[in-house]
Amino acid sequence: MGALMRAHDWRASALGPPDTWPQSLKSVVAMMTHSAFPMFIAWGEGLPYLYNDACIPIVGDRHPGALGRPFRDVWPDVWGDLEPLLSRALAGETVLLDSLPLTLERDGRPAVATFTFSYSPLHDEAGVIRGVLSVAIETTDSVRAARLADFRSDLAACTRDLGDPVEVMAAAAGFLGRRLGVSRCGYGEMDETGDFTTIEREWTDGALPRLVGRWRLDDFGPAVGADLRAGRTVRITDALADDRLDKEAASARIALGARATLNLPLFREGRLAALLYANQGTARHWTDEDEAFVREVAERTWSEVERARSAATLRESDARLRQVVEGMGEGFCVLDADFRVIEMNAEGMRLDGRSPAGIIGRSHWEAFPGSEDAEVGELYKKAMREGVPVALEHEWTYEDGRRAWYEMRAYPSADRLAIFFRDVTDRKRSEEALRIRGEEFQTLADNIPALCWMAYADGHIFWYNRRWYDYTGTSAEDQAGWGWESVHDPEILPGVVARWRRSLETGDPFEMTFPLKGADGVFRPFLTRINPIRDDAGEIVRWFGANTDVTELRAAELALRESEERLQQAKDAAGFGIYDFDLATGVIAWDPIVRGLWGVDADTPITFGLFIRGLHPDDRETTRALIERALDPAGDGDYRAQYRLGSADGPVRWVEAVGKILFDGGRPMRFVGTVKDISERKKAEEHRELLANELNHRVKNTLAMVQSLAGQTFRGDKTDASARQSFASRLQALAKAHDVLTRENWDRASLTDIVNETLAPHRGLSDSGMARISVLGPAVRLPAWMALNFSLALHELATNAAKYGSLSVDGGTVSIAWEVVETDPDRRLRFSWTERGGPSVRPPERFGFGTRLIERVLGADDATQVDLAFDPEGVTCRIDTPLP
């Protein structure tokens, strides 16, 4: 590298010729080139890149073109990872990183490499940081070795407990497939000829078809088959671009989802015995680490497969004895002198739930962790030590949390211990459940509100709950035999006893309401229900009775009847009808008033379709939309609508409906509300609107007459034309305000409507296409007198703007805005008119009628503030007034 640096043409580099380099750079370069550690330097503007001989393997294909080039151009593929580290070093920090993974281009392919390196700041003679020195050591091999070690450990754990060769191969294939992130992985065993391979099981991620079956090796490419028979690993990155595959073989691989393949041959006794394959449906570059993982799985798994097959052969030799053992109806196992499990029958395996590999050949204490120091372990050791049989029942908890009760019997013989065991979990659970049920029943019975008791089939009561004794103030001794009669009303008791005896004779349930005396001596009404308890043959073996205090219930029933009567009277007086729509069941209930409005009798089933058909055709969609909006869980569930009943060409009735949607967990469950006939009210509203329109017509006629008289008055030389025009336009503004108020029945008017009506003649776009008037403010409704005042004031402002202000030139704008402010003690409306982009404004030497009109009309109230300003950039008018 020193020779390359001396021979390098530095004219194109930001560093310049080496003889111009500062001494500090020369010194560190000299140190770097003589170092055996991989080092590089990035110095000056653009951080030109210098490195030593030991760094050449890291630079790779970038050497020697990397010399003197800007750091970012040398390492564009990892610039995003390295730039923050360079920035920290250039800021004066020494950066040390251990085993940082970087993706590099090596041999024309991306590869992940890991490095442990440091970045140190480099100073010039003045102490200024000018560059960075990095000492790097590639740790790819050590990191890969560590990963391989972890891989081996995980693989061993994956197959350790498996005894079936096929299961071993399937588990290993799944482990490898998930670890490599491939779509399919499996083993294929070769036949004696070496021409065919058989796949019994494999692992897939579900994206590719399974290859289970028998396949000819050369069908996947004769050249590939030759490589495998020669013991060479086959890597196929892309079947469409592999020279070893002809078009037919490549197509076969694509069809089977094996566009990318990694195949590893396994040899035993000099012949190809099996193949381990990993497939990907898309192209994939296989790394050396991938092949190392595959090789590790292949070699280790095949050893496990042969071990499992040897164990299977041994088991077959003992088949006859096993037939006897397997035919037993209970679990059986044999322990040797070291308490190692050397035999367990199928029933034992079934009861345990694990495969033989997890138990056979392992010590009892290893197969069943925690058993050595438990009661079962102590008894096994006693049986082996003293030569005596032992028996016990014990509960065992497996590692997966499963719990089971076993009845165990162990018999010693020479250096063996034969153990018979059977699952008694159901029996133990039944016994425990029976005990718990008795306790739960007692607890429940003692705490339920009812007074409960139980009697034999002949009616003799043998048990009362705590509530009975608490209420009656008696004891078990008091109530023995027929002592319960003491808490009954003597006058009613004969009828109760007769009814009870009839149930004893017939076996029918008993239900009757009668009073029982409490500990305070007061008789209260109780609803008594007595039911028979029968055995499997249908014979009565017990009677269960429950007495429920209905004092409050009866009072509530009476209060409810009175409340319903008052509600019905109020509803009838108000003319309201009630509806109830159960949305969960679809059942709709209407009271007589609602049915009368729709004209249906009491026998007609009510449906939503019937409701919609009764509406006027023009109101159906609107009403349906209001109902759907109320059904939206995001809303408040409120519903209010006015609609007509009747046909399009017949008489109609106006109805007002108010309802509420009741939700449960976001789901609409019920729709309840009222309906009222408002036909008369609608007629009154129409009559009032007619009168208001007539009044408005007459007022406007009067204004027209005033305008005519003003025209005659101003005719001739008495005044100029502009005065006449101003007077006429003010009358027109007043008329438009009347129109807005008429629409609102002279109650209140929308400020937005007033602004839009008044400024309608002045709206439009400038030559540049920009809107000239902007309006921004919340919904505000003004009283009639305030609406008229605002209409006249806005008219004057708009007229002046059109004549002299921003609306008199192209590009001029008017911004109108208002807000409502909550103050103490009132609410206030703050309104602003702002002109911009018009001719330069000067304050007038005298104020005309329009200005005086604005200030006098709007500022007539002492609580209202009017600020009319003639700023050079445009007229502004601000109004701050109480809002009723």
Side-chain angles (χ1 to χ4, degrees):
M1 286 305 302
L4 285 176
M5 290 182 194
R6 288 189 292 273
H8 187 71
D9 183 1
W10 293 96
R11 289 176 297 178
S13 172
L15 286 173
D19 57 0
T20 65
W21 294 356
Q23 185 58 46
S24 54
L25 176 58
K26 291 179 180 179
S27 298
V28 73
V29 168
M31 179 273 295
M32 176 186 72
T33 55
H34 289 87
S35 175
F37 286 97
M39 294 184 179
F40 69 79
I41 297 171
W43 180 280
E45 184 174 353
L47 299 176
Y49 192 69
L50 306 172
Y51 53 98
N52 64 1
D53 295 89
C55 196
I56 291 175
I58 297 178
V59 178
D61 295 341
R62 295 168 170 82
H63 175 73
L67 182 61
R69 293 179 62 197
F71 193 102
R72 182 171 187 167
D73 294 344
V74 176
W75 299 102
D77 45 343
V78 292
W79 176 249
D81 297 316
L82 300 183
E83 189 274 336
L85 308 180
L86 290 168
S87 297
R88 289 166 59 187
L90 289 171
E93 179 184 353
T94 297
V95 181
L96 178 64
L97 292 171
D98 182 51
S99 296
L100 177 70
L102 299 176
T103 301
L104 309 177
E105 288 287 339
R106 289 183 169 175
D107 299 326
R109 297 192 300 268
V112 177
T114 55
F115 295 88
T116 295
F117 57 86
S118 66
Y119 281 2
S120 303
L122 294 176
H123 301 75
D124 61 10
E125 286 75 6
V128 177
I129 298 175
R130 297 290 305 282
V132 175
L133 169 65
S134 175
V135 180
I137 301 176
E138 183 170 1
T139 59
T140 303
D141 291 339
S142 60
V143 170
R144 187 174 294 168
R147 289 177 182 167
L148 186 58
D150 292 341
F151 184 85
R152 290 168 176 166
S153 176
D154 294 342
L155 174 62
C158 174
T159 59
R160 180 184 300 119
D161 296 336
L162 301 177
D164 183 2
V166 175
E167 293 291 337
V168 172
M169 287 188 286
F175 173 80
L176 179 60
R178 288 185 289 270
R179 181 60 64 95
L180 292 180
V182 297
S183 297
R184 181 171 56 213
C185 192
Y187 275 94
E189 291 195 68
M190 300 299 300
D191 65 358
E192 294 293 334
T193 67
D195 293 331
F196 290 91
T197 181
T198 300
I199 302 171
E200 294 190 42
R201 287 180 61 180
E202 66 178 357
W203 174 89
T204 73
D205 63 359
L208 298 181
R210 294 189 178 275
L211 299 180
V212 174
R214 191 167 184 260
W215 303 87
R216 183 184 297 276
L217 189 61
D218 289 341
D219 287 344
F220 298 100
V224 172
D227 284 344
L228 293 173
R229 291 187 182 94
R232 291 187 289 270
T233 300
V234 174
R235 294 188 192 181
I236 298 177
T237 299
D238 187 350
L240 296 176
D242 197 293
D243 296 337
R244 293 169 294 182
L245 302 175
D246 57 22
K247 184 176 180 180
E248 183 178 355
S251 299
R253 287 182 173 274
I254 296 297
L256 293 173
R259 184 169 181 173
T261 300
L262 180 58
N263 276 1
L264 189 77
L266 290 171
F267 280 77
R268 288 295 182 269
E269 298 179 359
R271 75 173 186 86
L272 179 62
L275 302 171
L276 177 56
Y277 61 90
N279 295 156
Q280 188 75 29
T282 57
R284 170 174 174 155
H285 170 69
W286 304 99
T287 66
D288 292 340
E289 187 173 12
D290 293 338
E291 182 174 342
F293 285 158
V294 172
R295 188 173 301 280
E296 190 70 25
V297 170
E299 294 175 353
R300 290 180 176 270
T301 304
W302 202 248
S303 298
E304 287 294 315
V305 168
E306 292 183 333
R307 178 195 59 78
R309 283 179 173 157
S310 297
T313 301
L314 182 62
R315 287 193 298 271
E316 290 174 2
S317 67
D318 204 19
R320 291 190 178 183
L321 177 60
R322 178 165 299 280
Q323 289 178 357
V324 176
V325 174
E326 296 298 333
M328 298 173 57
E330 58 183 343
F332 171 78
C333 72
V334 178
L335 307 183
D336 65 10
D338 296 323
F339 296 95
R340 185 168 48 250
V341 182
I342 59 175
E343 183 70 28
M344 180 174 286
N345 70 347
E347 179 64 11
M349 289 295 181
R350 187 193 68 79
L351 293 174
D352 183 85
R354 286 179 288 177
S355 67
I359 300 176
I360 305 301
R362 304 172 69 183
S363 75
H364 189 280
W365 324 131
E366 181 185 6
F368 301 94
S371 63
E372 183 174 8
D373 297 327
E375 180 186 13
V376 62
E378 295 298 331
L379 287 176
Y380 285 174
K381 286 184 281 188
K382 175 182 178 180
M384 191 77 81
R385 181 178 61 249
E386 300 178 4
V388 296
V390 296
L392 78 156
E393 287 184 356
H394 80 109
E395 186 180 29
W396 181 251
T397 302
Y398 290 90
E399 291 182 339
D400 60 1
R402 181 168 57 94
R403 302 171 66 184
W405 274 93
Y406 291 102
E407 180 185 81
M408 318 286 295
R409 303 183 310 282
Y411 301 93
S413 174
D415 57 352
R416 298 285 188 271
L417 188 65
I419 302 171
F420 298 86
F421 57 97
R422 62 190 183 96
D423 190 342
V424 293
T425 304
D426 290 342
R427 191 199 77 201
K428 297 293 287 188
R429 287 177 178 171
S430 297
E431 293 173 352
E432 180 66 8
L434 186 61
R435 181 188 65 79
I436 293 175
R437 191 177 298 117
E439 294 177 354
E440 290 177 345
F441 172 78
Q442 185 65 46
T443 301
L444 175 65
D446 283 343
N447 289 279
I448 60 176
L451 315 182
C452 299
W453 48 269
M454 194 171 292
Y456 293 120
D458 60 1
H460 180 76
I461 299 176
F462 62 88
W463 170 86
Y464 294 92
N465 71 343
R466 180 172 55 83
R467 292 283 183 180
W468 176 278
Y469 296 122
D470 290 347
Y471 174 75
T472 61
T474 60
S475 64
E477 292 76 16
D478 298 333
Q479 300 296 290
W482 291 80
W484 54 270
E485 295 181 351
S486 63
V487 300
H488 282 67
D489 185 337
E491 296 182 2
I492 301 176
L493 181 59
V496 173
V497 172
R499 177 68 183 83
W500 175 221
R501 291 190 183 279
R502 187 162 64 251
S503 290
L504 290 174
E505 294 172 359
T506 62
D508 296 330
F510 174 104
E511 182 171 323
M512 189 175 182
T513 300
F514 47 79
L516 294 176
K517 184 171 64 175
D520 56 1
V522 176
F523 281 93
R524 297 177 180 83
F526 279 80
L527 171 63
T528 298
R529 291 189 177 95
I530 308 173
N531 289 294
I533 301 174
R534 303 178 184 272
D535 59 15
D536 294 339
E539 297 294 328
I540 296 176
V541 293
R542 299 283 191 276
W543 290 88
F544 180 81
N547 306 78
T548 304
D549 190 341
V550 293
T551 305
E552 295 182 358
L553 177 61
R554 288 196 168 183
E557 290 174 348
L558 178 61
L560 179 60
R561 283 197 301 271
E562 294 175 351
S563 175
E564 289 176 344
E565 291 174 359
R566 289 195 298 270
L567 176 61
Q568 186 64 39
Q569 292 170 358
K571 183 173 68 70
D572 293 343
F576 282 106
I578 297 177
Y579 63 88
D580 188 344
F581 188 175
D582 189 331
L583 299 171
T585 63
V587 176
I588 305 177
W590 284 356
D591 72 357
I593 292 179
V594 183
R595 285 181 174 271
L597 288 173
W598 263 259
V600 295
D601 56 32
D603 297 329
T604 301
I606 307 302
T607 65
F608 187 72
L610 174 67
F611 161 75
I612 291 294
R613 288 194 299 273
L615 305 184
H616 190 278
D618 294 343
D619 294 346
R620 290 173 183 172
E621 292 305 318
T622 302
T623 304
R624 190 191 301 272
L626 290 173
I627 294 174
E628 291 177 353
R629 185 172 66 182
L631 290 169
D632 186 354
D636 54 12
D638 289 338
Y639 164 74
R640 182 179 292 274
Q642 290 185 2
Y643 45 77
R644 291 163 290 177
L645 303 179
S647 62
D649 55 356
V652 298
R653 302 177 72 179
W654 275 95
V655 169
E656 181 177 60
V658 178
K660 184 74 174 179
I661 306 296
L662 305 180
F663 295 91
D664 182 9
R667 293 179 55 198
M669 301 302 293
R670 291 184 64 193
F671 182 12
V672 297
T674 61
V675 174
K676 180 176 177 61
D677 188 338
I678 59 170
S679 300
E680 295 301 322
R681 191 178 82 191
K682 278 292 184 178
K683 290 179 181 178
E685 290 175 354
E686 292 173 358
H687 182 65
R688 184 167 63 250
E689 182 178 355
L690 178 64
L691 293 177
N693 290 334
E694 177 65 20
L695 173 62
N696 182 57
H697 176 69
R698 295 187 181 185
V699 168
K700 292 175 71 175
N701 286 342
T702 302
L703 291 175
M705 293 176 62
V706 173
Q707 185 175 9
S708 177
L709 292 173
Q712 295 177 28
T713 303
F714 294 149
R715 184 178 303 151
D717 299 332
K718 294 181 181 180
T719 185
D720 58 18
S722 63
R724 290 197 300 272
Q725 179 61 33
S726 297
F727 184 77
S729 61
R730 287 166 184 152
L731 287 177
Q732 290 171 359
L734 188 61
K736 289 181 179 180
H738 274 260
D739 286 338
V740 175
L741 289 168
T742 298
R743 291 199 300 267
E744 303 294 338
N745 293 321
W746 278 81
D747 178 16
R748 287 176 176 265
S750 165
L751 178 55
T752 302
D753 291 345
I754 292 171
V755 171
N756 290 335
E757 290 279 357
T758 305
L759 297 180
H762 304 284
R763 286 191 178 274
L765 302 177
S766 66
D767 292 345
S768 62
M770 179 178 66
R772 307 191 64 186
I773 299 176
S774 65
V775 179
L776 179 63
V780 177
R781 295 177 65 79
L782 304 179
W785 60 269
M786 186 180 286
L788 293 175
N789 290 348
F790 262 88
S791 178
L792 290 173
L794 287 170
H795 170 73
E796 294 301 327
L797 290 169
T799 301
N800 289 336
K803 287 183 176 182
Y804 317 110
S806 62
L807 297 182
S808 67
V809 297
D810 185 55
T813 62
V814 173
S815 298
I816 301 172
W818 64 87
E819 63 177 344
V820 176
V821 180
E822 300 289 342
T823 63
D824 187 13
D826 54 14
R827 299 165 64 242
R828 300 188 70 84
L829 172 65
R830 293 178 179 172
F831 182 96
S832 68
W833 167 287
T834 305
E835 297 182 29
R836 291 292 182 267
S840 179
V841 176
R842 293 197 305 266
E845 296 178 358
R846 64 181 183 84
F847 294 100
F849 175 76
T851 304
R852 292 195 301 275
L853 184 145
I854 294 172
E855 293 179 337
R856 292 178 181 176
V857 169
L858 295 176
D861 183 2
D862 292 339
T864 299
Q865 299 174 7
V866 179
D867 180 13
L868 184 61
F870 296 88
D871 301 324
E873 60 271 19
V875 173
T876 61
C877 180
R878 292 182 174 83
I879 304 166
D880 188 342
T881 182
L883 185 63

